[in-house]
Amino acid sequence: MTEPITYLTTTIPYVNARPHLGHALEFVEADVLARHYRRRGHQVRFQTGTDDNSLKNVLAAQAEGVATQDLVDRNAAAFEALRGSLALSFDEFVRTSRDPRHRAGVERLWRQCAESGDLYRKHYGGRYCVGCEQFYLDTELVDGRCPEHGTEPQLVAEENWFFRLSRYAGQLHDLITSGRLRIEPATRRNEVLAFIAGGLADFSISRSRARARDWGIPVPDDPDQVIYVWWDALGNYLTALDYATDGEPYRHWWVRSDRRLHLLGKGVTRFHAVYWPAMLLSAGQPLPTDIYVHGYLTVAGERISKSGGTSVDPVALVERYGVDAVRWWLLREVPRAGDADFTVERLAARADTELANGLGNLVNRTVSMVHRYRGGVVSAAANGGVVPAAPTGGVASAGSDGDAGRELDRALERVPALVEDSLADFDFRAATGAVWDVVEAANRFVNDRRPWQLAKAEGAAGEAAAAASAGLDAVLHRLVTTGRAIAAELAPFLPVAASRIEAQLTPAADGTLPPAAPLFPRLADR
Ligand SMILES: [Zn+2]
């Protein structure tokens, strides 16, 4: 097969709690890319899952007084259920505590790095944040506290296994500066290069079984040590492809693929852009080709972890406002670089303006007019699809669609390339903006051509009536084909709405369009 092979992943979240809106952002972005590339004929595998083996999960279970596996299973099920709530199209959902391929794959990765001479034991002391599952240098703390969590890291001193990260600084620098490992946006790439230039220290990749509360994957041939959860978690990108047995999915999606793309949040850039590529170099494996780092969401100005409640629960938001409105906000308002602030008012305003009033109204009035003027039947395009001006518009430029028609042509012509280029840059706002431009151009076209006046004019007698009649056929035909084109372009972003629009604009067995029905509810009053 000659289709490009694209493998894309989200990070696998800790399952110490239920999913929040920040997770939804990453899942929806990855879903858009997966749907887009499938539509363009790529072979696509979209993988997500959960990081079950974290000490955070153990502590959360203790706080609730439940068994760790029970808490992990319960919360992992909530993450997997986002497939339905958010209309996600992932092909694989890996669970690091449950998937038999995972542990065997992590062990293989460990042994390969050991064979390269990159693993060694050392006594170590440092400050560890359980929330981040990482050691911090004193210089990285803010007033002695974790910069992510604001909590005081605990002092840990024990003998651990270490990975010789220091050995890979030069190779990583060359890979990133040459673009063979592409990191977007550029601010993140520069941060990674600055981190590498500052000198890479070897890092601890195991902990004592006691400190791990006996949870996680034991170190091969050293069962008193448990593999560091990040080593374990990063491995999922390979292990769920059946890396342990050199399986065909691994060879297809990792070794032979054209693109290996990781999506992640800015807090875990270092793990994905430094540690993980170094582990792969050590193990003699191909590297990811692309890393896209999204920003953080705040909710009404507060960090999601602090705001809590239903305002950040993606399932509750979908139940109340619908999946289209939630996906549309995430894609239309979150910039490709930097953070974004969410409020339900912004979600409702964006959906009402663009989905209910802009797009919904366009499709609704198209279908209504086809029923009112043509009994629900879309005529073949008269006059080669050229739409004459409405008769009261002064002297019609005969044989012309007018400026509004030409503008609509241009918007339709431009949209595939604009979407392609914007998504290549991970600019979801620009990509949805290109589709939105078509909606606006189509609404201007309706207002410019005024089909209701053509309908009035065709009631009169004579040649003018015949021209108006042909004109009305052409306007309606053009609006229906435009609506279907919008649905096709919208499909990666709003798959559920796109299929509703397609259904509205597809004639039934009797040749007529279904009756006009509102496509998007108005949300402002909810
Ligand atoms: Zn932390």
Side-chain angles (χ1 to χ4, degrees):
M1 284 197 271
T2 55
E3 301 92 351
I5 304 172
T6 297
Y7 174 49
L8 68 105
T9 66
T10 70
T11 52
I12 52 172
Y14 300 128
V15 285
N16 57 321
R18 291 176 53 81
H20 59 57
L21 197 61
H23 300 118
L25 172 66
E26 189 170 311
F27 295 147
V28 167
E29 287 181 342
D31 186 64
V32 168
L33 295 173
R35 289 178 186 275
H36 171 76
Y37 288 116
R38 281 187 207 115
R39 214 180 137 229
R40 297 290 161 105
H42 293 211
Q43 300 180 57
V44 173
R45 181 183 171 106
F46 166 19
Q47 181 176 303
T48 184
T50 53
D51 179 357
D52 296 354
N53 294 333
S54 161
L55 183 55
K56 274 173 98 143
N57 301 338
V58 179
L59 299 180
Q62 279 178 359
E64 274 194 41
V66 299
T68 304
Q69 189 71 61
D70 292 347
L71 173 119
V72 161
D73 287 347
R74 188 190 72 204
N75 284 334
F79 276 91
E80 194 163 5
L82 291 178
R83 181 186 183 85
S85 308
L86 293 169
L88 304 176
S89 64
F90 51 79
D91 302 294
E92 178 80 51
F93 191 93
V94 58
R95 297 241 356 245
T96 59
S97 70
R98 288 288 192 193
D99 192 325
R101 297 167 302 178
H102 181 67
R103 176 171 171 169
V106 167
E107 287 170 348
R108 183 181 179 206
L109 189 62
W110 182 284
R111 290 185 196 282
Q112 285 185 321
C113 294
E115 278 164 27
S116 297
D118 286 331
L119 308 189
Y120 62 96
R121 281 186 76 123
K122 181 173 103 168
H123 190 80
Y124 183 71
R127 294 190 179 275
Y128 194 81
C129 173
V130 177
C132 294
E133 297 278 19
Q134 76 173 97
F135 281 104
Y136 277 102
L137 300 172
D138 287 344
T139 51
E140 294 173 315
L141 299 175
V142 180
D143 298 328
R145 290 169 183 276
C146 167
E148 283 283 316
H149 293 92
T151 50
E152 269 185 52
Q154 58 189 122
L155 264 176
V156 170
E158 62 185 23
E159 178 144 327
N160 290 159
W161 284 93
F162 271 70
F163 174 71
R164 230 179 273 285
L165 179 66
S166 52
R167 189 173 170 182
Y168 294 99
Q171 281 183 72
L172 288 172
H173 174 270
D174 292 349
L175 284 161
I176 295 167
T177 50
S178 70
R180 274 177 292 159
L181 173 54
R182 176 180 174 229
I183 302 170
E184 295 288 348
T187 47
R188 300 295 164 216
R189 177 169 63 248
N190 295 337
E191 278 171 16
V192 170
L193 287 171
F195 179 70
I196 293 170
L200 294 184
D202 297 349
F203 69 102
S204 161
I205 55 167
S206 74
R207 61 168 82 96
S208 68
R209 207 168 74 182
R211 187 157 68 87
R213 310 288 208 279
D214 210 9
W215 181 252
I217 300 176
V219 169
D221 309 320
D222 188 1
D224 286 337
Q225 293 271 311
V226 169
I227 295 177
Y228 176 42
V229 66
W230 267 105
W231 179 286
D232 160 341
L234 289 164
N236 93 87
Y237 303 130
L238 281 186
T239 62
L241 302 174
D242 202 8
Y243 167 64
T245 67
D246 237 344
E248 175 55 24
Y250 152 71
R251 278 182 274 134
H252 186 82
W253 297 105
W254 194 263
V255 179
R256 291 198 298 267
S257 62
D258 300 285
R259 231 177 152 206
R260 295 173 291 274
L261 162 62
H262 297 316
L263 271 74
L264 46 127
K266 64 182 181 180
V268 297
T269 310
R270 190 180 300 177
F271 295 98
H272 286 82
V274 179
Y275 294 6
W276 173 233
M279 289 159 63
L280 292 168
L281 286 170
S282 173
Q285 295 298 320
L287 300 195
T289 58
D290 299 79
I291 288 177
Y292 169 61
V293 184
H294 60 77
Y296 281 165
L297 294 181
T298 53
V299 173
E302 284 204 87
R303 285 192 63 162
I304 282 184
S305 54
K306 290 183 182 162
S307 26
T310 57
S311 63
V312 297
D313 176 353
V315 177
L317 286 174
V318 165
E319 279 169 4
R320 183 154 184 185
Y321 298 104
V323 62
D324 302 317
V326 172
R327 284 181 67 119
W328 195 242
W329 187 86
L330 292 169
L331 297 166
R332 276 296 275 151
E333 295 216 4
V334 179
R336 78 183 278 277
D339 300 340
D341 189 51
F342 174 84
T343 65
V344 291
E345 290 77 15
R346 289 196 187 113
L347 174 135
R350 178 63 76 172
D352 283 349
T353 304
E354 295 187 347
L355 299 183
N357 298 345
L359 175 57
N361 190 36
L362 171 69
V363 176
N364 200 263
R365 60 180 172 165
T366 297
V367 176
S368 297
M369 287 190 290
V370 170
H371 278 281
R372 192 176 315 133
Y373 304 138
R374 292 295 181 262
V377 178
V378 185
S379 340
N383 198 16
V386 170
V387 180
T392 56
V395 182
S397 45
S400 153
D401 281 356
D403 288 346
R406 280 190 295 275
E407 201 195 319
L408 177 56
D409 282 338
R410 276 196 298 273
L412 277 166
E413 271 165 30
R414 275 196 311 252
V415 69
L418 279 174
V419 168
E420 177 73 27
D421 294 348
S422 303
L423 292 184
D425 283 342
F426 309 106
D427 192 340
F428 299 91
R429 215 158 55 164
T432 47
V435 181
W436 173 244
D437 285 346
V438 180
V439 175
E440 285 200 302
N443 272 322
R444 280 196 295 272
F445 173 76
V446 180
N447 296 340
D448 184 72
R449 296 292 99 173
R450 284 168 297 200
W452 46 90
Q453 290 184 348
L454 291 167
K456 219 178 269 175
E458 76 174 339
E463 221 170 276
S469 186
L472 181 56
D473 280 339
V475 174
L476 296 177
H477 181 267
R478 177 126 196 227
L479 287 174
V480 169
T481 53
T482 298
R484 296 183 68 169
I486 291 169
E489 292 296 337
L490 199 62
F493 307 98
L494 301 184
V496 180
S499 53
R500 278 204 309 275
I501 295 168
E502 178 64 25
Q504 269 278 264
L505 297 173
T506 302
D510 69 353
T512 66
L513 296 184
L519 280 168
F520 301 98
R522 281 192 54 83
L523 303 181
D525 311 326
R526 292 199 172 196

